[in-house]
């Protein structure tokens, strides 16, 4: 029980596996706690409205976590960062995907590039 003391990050390191199995989830559950309706990361005390966001955040505190993109080889410190990257840059795994502006039909290589294009050229 880590509610009244700092969470020992070394414990999380010992239990982490690079496979996306249950061990990481069990560790993350121990890294968050709900008090008075607010979820908190027990490593840095950052508050969250829900358990899911607290657990996504807490994953970044586990030293040695590195999730690599199979397509571009970029590394991420959390599964959430990896999932956002896959959605924004590889359309969830489809290499060579492009994103088209629905106003002027410009083709962009990523969702962030399309958002930037729209903000610069079609802001209303």
């Amino acid at each position: 029980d880590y509610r009244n003391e700092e969470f020992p990050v070394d414990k999380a390191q010992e239990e982490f596996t690079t496979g996306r199995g249950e061990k990481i989830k069990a560790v993350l559950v121990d890294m968050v706690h709900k008090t008075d309706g607010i979820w908190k990361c027990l490593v840095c005390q950052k508050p969250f409205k829900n358990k899911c966001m607290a657990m996504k955040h807490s994953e970044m505190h586990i030293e040695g976590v590195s999730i690599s993109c199979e397509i571009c080889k970029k590394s991420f410190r959390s599964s959430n960062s990896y999932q956002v990257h896959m959605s924004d840059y590889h359309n969830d795994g489809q290499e060579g995907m492009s994103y088209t502006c629905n106003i002027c039909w410009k083709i962009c290589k990523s969702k962030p590039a399309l958002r930037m294009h729209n903000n610069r050229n079609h802001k209303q």
Side-chain angles (χ1 to χ4, degrees):
D1 189 7
Y2 302 104
R3 293 181 191 136
N4 298 317
E5 61 189 88
E6 185 176 324
F7 183 85
V9 179
D10 291 343
K11 177 182 183 284
Q13 291 172 348
E14 291 169 10
E15 293 184 26
F16 179 76
T17 59
T18 54
R20 303 301 305 156
E22 291 299 311
K23 280 190 175 183
I24 184 68
K25 289 181 183 178
V27 170
L28 292 173
V29 166
D30 284 346
M31 293 176 75
V32 299
H33 179 68
K34 187 176 184 180
T35 305
D36 299 326
I38 302 292
W39 285 94
K40 282 191 176 181
C41 169
L42 294 176
V43 177
C44 67
Q45 303 304 311
K46 184 173 180 173
F48 295 90
K49 291 182 181 179
N50 62 56
K51 183 178 183 179
C52 181
M53 293 305 293
M55 287 175 63
K56 284 180 180 181
H57 161 82
S58 296
E59 190 173 351
M60 69 177 249
H61 291 299
I62 302 172
E63 287 296 320
V65 172
S66 181
I67 303 165
S68 295
C69 174
E70 294 287 324
I71 297 169
C72 69
K73 308 303 181 210
K74 186 172 180 178
S75 293
F76 301 90
R77 295 224 4 148
S78 74
S79 57
N80 188 58
S81 296
Y82 169 76
Q83 290 166 350
V84 169
H85 167 78
M86 290 301 290
S87 176
D88 283 354
Y89 292 95
H90 303 304
N91 198 24
D92 296 318
Q94 297 178 19
E95 181 57 31
M97 256 335 259
S98 60
Y99 302 85
T100 306
C101 175
N102 62 359
I103 298 171
C104 69
W105 303 103
K106 176 178 173 64
I107 296 172
C108 299
K109 291 184 178 184
S110 68
K111 284 183 187 177
L114 178 60
R115 280 192 295 269
M116 186 182 303
H117 162 79
N118 283 329
N119 286 338
R120 288 181 178 169
N121 297 290
H122 306 301
K123 205 168 192 177
Q124 297 175 357

